[in-house]
Amino acid sequence: MKAVIYARYSCDHQREESIEGQLRECKAFADRKGYTVVDSYIDRAMSAKTDNRPQFQQMIKDSGKQLFDAIIVWKLDRFARNRYDSAHYKAQLRKNGVKVMSATEVISEGAEGIILESVLEGFAEYYSAELSEKVIRGMTENALKCQYNGGLVPIGYRIDENKHYQIDELTAPFVAQAFHMYVDGKQIKEIVELLNEHNVKSSYNKSVTKTTVSALLQNRKYIGEYKYRDVVIPNGVPAIISEELFDMAQERLERNRRAPSSYKSDDRYILTTKLFCAECGAPMVGESARGRHEKQYFYYKCSNAKKHNGCTRQALRKSDIEKKVIDKIVDVMFDADTIDMIADRVLAWQEKADTTLPILERELAEVEKSLGNVMAAIEQGIITPTTKNRMAELEDQKKEIEIKIAKEQINTQMLTKEQIVFWLTNMTRLDLAQDSNKQRIVDTFVNSIYVHEDRAVINLNCHDDEEIVPFEVESGSFLSMVGEP
């Protein structure tokens, strides 16, 4: 596994030496785990209460380049102190296949924290979807007028001052020529060469590629069709080619699509990082193999057994174990009493986790008490330069603390029990035919699964008892008949 280190010190109570200590412990952690450290990101004199940290943002951006698999921090508060930022960026990193690890703490922030993070991500999606709906309404109005709605303008068109598509006299002839060449049997690479030879640029204002030409040949705008979501308006755009020519190009594209191609497998293994071999403790990883008649099999296999490191655990069929786990989660966790219990525990954890605001409120109370004492002294006639200075000093402290409290209240929006129950109840209505929804349920509720010869033991978040899923040990359950891929 390749990892990067993120180190940070704030401007208060910490110095440059703090960075060296963080890097040393993070590197030691990586060595113990056998990870390869490929880079380090360091923010100096930066608070983690904000995400406006240059190296932090660069690291998040670089995570999408598939250059590393994990981010190691000295402690989790180096990554973020605002748990809403933490949930947001961890979700983004997960989509990029990157995990956040602490060198000095257990990476799991607790079962309640995992569920709260899932709830927060869900609400973020809800607000994002709500905003999207408002944007879509405005763009639909534009679409009904056949107006440009933003995005890339296809080769051969330009946008006029009224936001309507108009034919670009310089590049439109090359679009028509590209269709004629393709229908006449020319290869896409020949069309690419022609367009680049005449300095025709793609919508990104770059040289044309095979991908550019493939998209061009399928764009119905060239026959005058305006489309935005469900709005389709024939003749809403000036046509560059005829429908007959376009249909002939589609026929050739379809013939090429039907040509023999490699089998595309569903490689989403939703139990990855959760599934472990009970015999040796190693994680079980996704594998695939072909059996008789080129039939494709998908399964989980102990990583030690895969490397022939002494474990003899047989491979477990992917569809079997995933269905059993999902069915067990639905049976155990999607109960009204259980949801209510989880909401109480998550709420208590959330209130316990939020220590900054109570500390500030306590400081404010102490300052107000001191102000009251000074006022009492003044009312008794004790007016000296010292009492005046103390009064001004306390007033300044009070204003400063009140500003901090206001900022913290903005950054730390507490969820109510009703909101948590509402979101958990909505989880019960997810379409479990979609792998993405199965993944969300597993990430939210499953802590770990240990596979024995005849059963799987599931440890669920916020559920004190282990859940047992029995297996029928037969050829249908284990892939003993499938050879090594």
Side-chain angles (χ1 to χ4, degrees):
M1 183 179 285
K2 290 180 290 186
V4 296
I5 295 173
Y6 177 70
R8 176 192 63 79
Y9 76 87
S10 54
C11 50
D12 52 340
H13 310 305
Q14 291 180 314
R15 298 171 300 175
E16 182 69 21
E17 291 84 345
S18 301
I19 294 292
E20 298 304 320
Q22 291 176 43
L23 291 175
R24 184 173 59 254
E25 293 203 42
C26 288
K27 287 175 181 176
F29 173 83
D31 289 341
R32 290 196 303 272
K33 294 290 186 179
Y35 301 156
T36 301
V37 176
V38 296
D39 205 352
S40 297
Y41 297 84
I42 300 172
D43 279 313
R44 292 173 168 83
M46 291 285 179
S47 170
K49 289 186 178 180
T50 172
D51 61 353
N52 188 22
R53 291 171 269 155
Q55 284 289 288
F56 178 83
Q57 290 295 342
Q58 185 63 50
M59 177 180 69
I60 298 297
K61 183 179 179 181
D62 290 347
S63 71
K65 300 176 182 178
Q66 313 299 315
L67 300 176
F68 51 88
D69 310 298
I71 295 170
I72 302 173
V73 293
W74 176 59
K75 285 189 175 181
L76 292 170
D77 66 1
R78 300 298 93 187
F79 183 78
R81 283 185 179 171
N82 181 318
R83 63 179 174 276
Y84 294 86
D85 280 348
S86 177
H88 169 73
Y89 286 109
K90 283 182 182 177
Q92 188 173 335
L93 289 168
R94 263 200 304 277
K95 290 178 182 177
N96 293 335
V98 177
K99 186 178 181 181
V100 179
M101 297 180 172
S102 169
T104 58
E105 304 163 305
V106 178
I107 188 61
S108 172
E109 300 175 40
E112 296 87 352
I114 293 170
I115 291 179
L116 176 61
E117 187 173 308
S118 180
V119 174
L120 293 172
E121 290 171 10
F123 272 104
E125 288 178 13
Y126 169 77
Y127 289 121
S128 175
E130 185 180 41
L131 177 62
S132 176
E133 286 181 8
K134 293 177 181 177
V135 173
I136 287 170
R137 279 198 293 271
M139 296 179 79
T140 300
E141 289 300 315
N142 290 343
L144 293 172
K145 303 171 187 174
C146 296
Q147 289 182 318
Y148 172 63
N149 252 331
L152 300 175
V153 180
I155 299 171
Y157 289 105
R158 59 180 177 81
I159 306 301
D160 67 16
E161 63 277 5
N162 296 317
K163 294 188 176 181
H164 287 109
Y165 287 88
Q166 300 295 344
I167 290 178
D168 180 2
E169 293 79 5
L170 294 176
T171 57
F174 292 105
V175 172
Q177 189 174 356
F179 274 93
H180 282 291
M181 288 177 66
Y182 189 70
V183 168
D184 291 341
K186 300 294 185 183
Q187 298 297 319
I188 286 181
K189 67 177 182 179
E190 296 178 78
I191 301 174
V192 170
E193 291 170 0
L194 170 78
L195 297 179
N196 285 329
E197 184 181 326
H198 288 83
N199 203 33
V200 176
K201 297 296 183 181
S202 72
S203 302
Y204 294 97
N205 199 31
K206 294 182 179 180
S207 298
V208 171
T209 65
K210 288 184 178 180
T211 302
T212 309
V213 174
S214 295
L216 180 151
L217 293 171
Q218 298 174 72
N219 194 337
R220 297 183 63 84
K221 214 174 242 92
Y222 293 122
I223 58 173
E225 181 179 285
Y226 182 101
K227 182 177 181 181
Y228 172 72
R229 296 175 69 86
D230 296 331
V231 177
V232 179
I233 302 176
N235 303 317
V237 177
I240 293 177
I241 63 170
S242 66
E243 287 192 37
E244 181 182 11
L245 179 60
F246 184 84
D247 290 341
M248 292 169 67
Q250 304 318 297
E251 287 176 9
R252 186 179 175 201
L253 285 168
E254 185 60 30
R255 285 196 303 271
N256 290 339
R257 285 194 197 99
R258 291 201 202 103
S261 60
S262 59
Y263 180 83
K264 292 183 179 179
S265 63
D266 175 12
D267 58 355
R268 182 187 281 247
Y269 292 83
I270 65 173
L271 302 183
T272 300
T273 73
K274 305 285 187 179
L275 199 64
F276 297 89
C277 172
E279 184 175 319
C280 67
M284 298 186 73
V285 296
E287 284 286 314
S288 66
R290 292 187 184 276
R292 294 180 182 177
H293 310 297
E294 290 298 300
K295 183 177 180 181
Q296 191 97 1
Y297 291 92
F298 303 97
Y299 53 95
Y300 290 93
K301 189 169 186 177
C302 171
S303 54
N304 275 338
K306 178 182 176 181
K307 297 174 184 176
H308 306 291
N309 284 345
C311 185
T312 59
R313 170 74 65 226
Q314 290 178 308
L316 185 62
R317 192 182 296 276
K318 174 181 179 291
S319 57
D320 286 356
I321 185 62
E322 289 183 352
K323 183 178 187 305
K324 288 178 182 293
V325 169
I326 293 295
D327 287 347
K328 180 59 71 173
I329 295 172
V330 170
D331 181 51
V332 174
M333 306 299 279
F334 287 3
D335 172 79
D337 292 337
T338 304
I339 287 175
D340 191 68
M341 177 271 294
I342 292 173
D344 283 335
R345 291 180 62 171
V346 171
L347 190 65
W349 182 89
Q350 178 184 233
E351 292 170 350
K352 181 180 178 181
D354 182 29
T355 58
T356 305
L357 196 57
I359 290 173
L360 289 172
E361 289 171 344
R362 186 177 64 190
E363 289 179 4
L364 180 62
E366 290 173 354
V367 169
E368 288 177 338
K369 182 179 178 181
S370 298
L371 272 171
N373 292 337
V374 174
M375 285 295 297
I378 292 173
E379 289 171 355
Q380 292 175 12
I382 306 174
I383 304 175
T384 65
T386 301
T387 57
K388 290 181 179 179
N389 290 338
R390 180 59 176 160
M391 185 79 167
E393 181 184 324
L394 289 171
E395 288 288 356
D396 289 341
Q397 286 183 19
K398 182 181 177 182
K399 289 179 182 178
E400 184 180 345
I401 294 171
E402 285 174 340
I403 291 171
K404 288 182 179 179
I405 288 174
K407 289 181 178 179
E408 190 66 26
Q409 286 173 335
I410 292 171
N411 289 333
T412 311
Q413 180 185 3
M414 300 290 283
L415 295 177
T416 64
K417 179 178 178 180
E418 289 72 21
Q419 289 174 315
I420 298 170
V421 169
F422 170 79
W423 188 255
L424 290 172
T425 302
N426 273 357
M427 294 279 282
T428 68
R429 304 188 182 108
L430 291 176
D431 179 8
L432 296 183
Q434 296 183 26
D435 280 347
S436 58
N437 289 335
K438 294 178 186 176
Q439 187 74 66
R440 173 178 288 186
I441 286 175
V442 168
D443 288 345
T444 301
F445 294 110
V446 175
N447 181 280
S448 60
I449 308 166
Y450 283 87
V451 177
H452 298 259
E453 282 293 337
D454 59 346
R455 69 193 185 281
V457 178
I458 307 175
N459 297 294
L460 296 169
N461 292 322
C462 285
H463 189 72
D464 297 329
D465 298 326
E466 294 178 339
E467 294 298 326
I468 309 298
V469 174
F471 295 132
E472 294 180 9
V473 184
E474 57 185 15
S475 60
S477 295
F478 288 93
L479 293 182
S480 55
M481 68 290 195
V482 177
E484 289 291 321

